[in-house]
Amino acid sequence: MRHVYLILLCLLGYSLYAQEPAIKTEQDTTATRNEKKQNPFNTGFYPLEFFDFDLRYLIKYNNYEGIRLGVGGVTNDRLSEHFKIGGYVARGFKDQDIKFGIGGSIRLNDPHNTWLNVYYNDDINEIGSFSYLTDARVYSVFEPRLVNVTQFYKHRTWQTNVQHEFTPKILSEVRLSRSRIDQIENYQFVTDEQIYTNYELAEVTAAIRISPKQNFFTTKDGRIEYFDGFPKISAQITQGVKGITKSDFNYTKLGLKLDYYIKRTDLSSTNILLEGSYATGDIPLTHLFHAYPNSPTKDEILQRFSVAGRRSFETMYFGEFFSDKLATLQIKHSLRRFNFGSRFQPELVFITRHALGTLEKPEEHLGITFNTLDKVYSESGFELNKLLFGFGLSFAYRYGFYHLPKFEDNISFKFTFYLKL
């Protein structure tokens, strides 16, 4: 439980420092927007002369690094409006290793906010994670699930990318990257009668994000969504190319995500998140897909007590399932907040999640034991949020085809943390 106390302390620090703006509708006032510009928790950056410190690097926690402290940021337009230089350095206290990144950007087109970026990263990444390039352009101060992650790999990556806005509601990005992958887990990938522990990857990735009802304002630090309109559609394709800079594999990865929100006059709401991922070719497990599991591999319910994620399967254990074809559906229905006074307005949210996936050649992946999602995985539950300083409680139950024989192994009981900025 010691790591839970550390997480609570970090989250409490976020909640006490941040302020909640009164921005709830499209008809935002100019004064409120100016106030948001001055609040570093709305941009993720704390400006100091010509350098903006990135608050996301200050403190993190996960099961491999333990507490991770770092510092990072990027130059702002006080130095130049035409280029940026940035980077970060961080150290995990458990693995006692240094991670860092450095890079620069040149503005190619001002009206369409087009930037050419070059970066180098020496860091770790979660096995089986899949992220959309354009989603990273929308700032989020904290993703709770990351504190529970257990399976990582090391990577040293050179990348260059071009970011372009066709309109303020259509973001696009193209990236070329070359990575050296080193294993942390005892994993080997077998293909073409060869066994790979470490390998080289060369990738071309194109992504687009369409937010037809989204509205923005732009600060000097970047662009901030001030009306969380829906639907949001994200699409991405990645092509791995063998032979370029000694890369080892050919493969293709596709991702498509629909995030739809229904808000009602009674102040209740329903959020539907539908996502599909597809991969074909010679792809190691590190770059396949999982359904964002968030249950620590512990025997007792209270031993698994930790923080619930935003889009994760709370009863699915880390490393339990991997897929090369995966579809997930998540539905959250929020009731009107209970009004017990201006400072105490908890929110009850009913949640159901389902996942279905396949893996064509599981025998190619050695050293890590896992299952496939050939049948529908199901869990349902509820959250009681915003009880104190943004903290609440989460309960979920696993049922259906992947229901476990031991009753308590199907139960997830965690705390939630929703920091509204």
Side-chain angles (χ1 to χ4, degrees):
M1 294 292 290
R2 184 175 64 178
H3 74 284
V4 175
Y5 299 136
L6 292 172
I7 295 167
L8 284 169
L9 182 60
C10 295
L11 297 180
L12 186 58
Y14 284 133
S15 65
L16 291 175
Y17 185 80
Q19 300 177 8
E20 288 194 13
I23 299 177
K24 296 182 180 179
T25 66
E26 235 177 353
Q27 290 74 30
D28 189 20
T29 65
T30 302
T32 307
R33 295 184 196 181
N34 290 335
E35 180 183 348
K36 285 177 70 68
K37 292 180 183 181
Q38 299 171 3
N39 185 352
F41 271 89
N42 291 307
T43 64
F45 294 92
Y46 184 85
L48 187 63
E49 296 298 332
F50 63 86
F51 192 80
D52 294 345
F53 286 92
D54 193 329
L55 300 179
R56 290 168 292 186
Y57 291 115
L58 290 178
I59 182 169
K60 296 182 180 180
Y61 179 90
N62 62 65
N63 284 293
Y64 174 71
E65 297 176 291
I67 294 178
R68 168 172 165 151
L69 299 180
V71 62
V74 64
T75 59
N76 56 42
D77 58 6
R78 289 189 178 185
L79 180 65
S80 174
E81 295 182 356
H82 305 290
F83 70 87
K84 300 177 183 178
I85 300 173
Y88 70 92
V89 61
R91 182 182 187 273
F93 279 75
K94 186 176 180 180
D95 67 336
Q96 298 184 350
D97 197 8
I98 300 293
K99 295 88 178 176
F100 69 94
I102 189 170
S105 307
I106 299 176
R107 188 192 294 273
L108 301 180
N109 181 278
D110 194 9
H112 290 282
N113 202 22
T114 305
W115 288 87
L116 171 65
N117 312 293
V118 178
Y119 290 103
Y120 175 77
N121 294 93
D122 187 338
D123 211 327
I124 63 172
N125 197 20
E126 181 187 359
I127 292 177
S129 62
F130 179 79
S131 59
Y132 294 84
L133 300 183
T134 49
D135 283 1
R137 310 258 290 277
V138 180
Y139 169 67
S140 175
V141 67
F142 180 67
E143 169 51 51
R145 175 188 171 273
L146 298 178
V147 303
N148 293 324
V149 176
T150 58
Q151 295 179 316
F152 294 91
Y153 62 89
K154 295 181 180 180
H155 71 96
R156 287 169 285 172
T157 301
W158 283 99
Q159 66 181 50
T160 180
N161 60 302
V162 176
Q163 298 172 329
H164 178 77
E165 296 179 8
F166 292 101
T167 74
K169 299 179 182 181
I170 303 178
L171 310 181
S172 67
E173 187 167 339
V174 177
R175 183 178 72 182
L176 307 177
S177 64
R178 189 268 188 191
S179 301
R180 166 71 180 182
I181 307 300
D182 296 319
Q183 303 301 325
I184 294 175
E185 300 291 319
N186 180 26
Y187 170 70
Q188 294 178 321
F189 180 49
V190 181
T191 183
D192 296 331
E193 298 183 351
Q194 295 189 52
I195 299 177
Y196 295 88
T197 300
N198 304 319
Y199 35 84
E200 314 279 345
L201 302 178
E203 295 182 334
V204 181
T205 302
I208 189 169
R209 185 178 193 267
I210 303 172
S211 307
K213 293 185 179 180
Q214 203 77 9
N215 287 277
F216 306 89
F217 71 91
T218 302
T219 70
K220 294 180 180 180
D221 301 314
R223 148 199 229 287
I224 306 300
E225 299 176 348
Y226 72 89
F227 173 67
D228 202 18
F230 290 79
K232 301 175 186 176
I233 302 169
S234 299
Q236 182 165 296
I237 180 170
T238 297
Q239 180 64 50
V241 184
K242 184 176 181 179
I244 295 181
T245 64
K246 299 181 180 179
S247 59
D248 292 308
F249 311 122
N250 281 316
Y251 55 85
T252 303
K253 295 171 63 176
L254 300 170
L256 181 63
K257 180 173 65 172
L258 172 65
D259 197 353
Y260 188 66
Y261 181 77
I262 304 170
K263 189 173 183 179
R264 301 177 181 83
T265 55
D266 63 358
L267 300 183
S268 67
S269 62
T270 303
N271 183 203
I272 301 171
L273 180 63
L274 178 63
E275 185 170 1
S277 304
Y278 174 88
T280 183
D282 296 326
I283 312 180
L285 196 70
T286 52
H287 288 65
L288 289 178
F289 311 116
H290 59 45
Y292 288 89
N294 195 32
S295 185
T297 53
K298 303 290 181 64
D299 294 330
E300 304 294 333
I301 295 176
L302 291 181
Q303 289 179 331
R304 299 193 297 270
F305 184 78
S306 57
V307 59
R310 297 284 190 267
R311 51 173 286 192
S312 50
F313 282 73
E314 301 303 323
T315 63
M316 187 182 293
Y317 292 90
F318 283 101
E320 188 175 6
F321 300 100
F322 289 99
S323 306
D324 56 16
K325 300 172 185 63
L326 178 65
T328 61
L329 173 65
Q330 303 187 39
I331 301 175
K332 293 185 177 183
H333 180 70
S334 304
L335 301 181
R336 179 175 180 170
R337 294 178 66 174
F338 302 102
N339 189 357
F340 297 110
S342 59
R343 294 183 177 275
F344 186 56
Q345 297 182 348
E347 177 185 48
L348 181 61
V349 183
F350 295 99
I351 301 173
T352 184
R353 301 183 179 95
H354 308 276
L356 178 65
T358 62
L359 182 60
E360 286 191 5
K361 299 177 180 179
E363 67 277 3
E364 292 183 339
H365 309 284
L366 306 178
I368 295 180
T369 302
F370 62 91
N371 298 319
T372 57
L373 284 167
D374 300 305
K375 299 177 181 179
V376 178
Y377 184 101
S378 299
E379 71 174 29
S380 296
F382 64 88
E383 293 178 353
L384 188 58
N385 297 320
K386 302 169 186 176
L387 296 175
L388 180 66
F389 298 122
F391 292 96
L393 294 173
S394 166
F395 174 86
Y397 181 72
R398 170 174 174 163
Y399 59 94
F401 292 106
Y402 294 102
H403 182 272
L404 298 173
K406 193 175 179 180
F407 176 76
E408 65 177 18
D409 290 343
N410 299 284
I411 296 175
S412 167
F413 176 60
K414 300 185 177 79
F415 68 88
T416 64
F417 182 74
Y418 284 87
L419 177 61
K420 185 178 180 182
L421 302 175

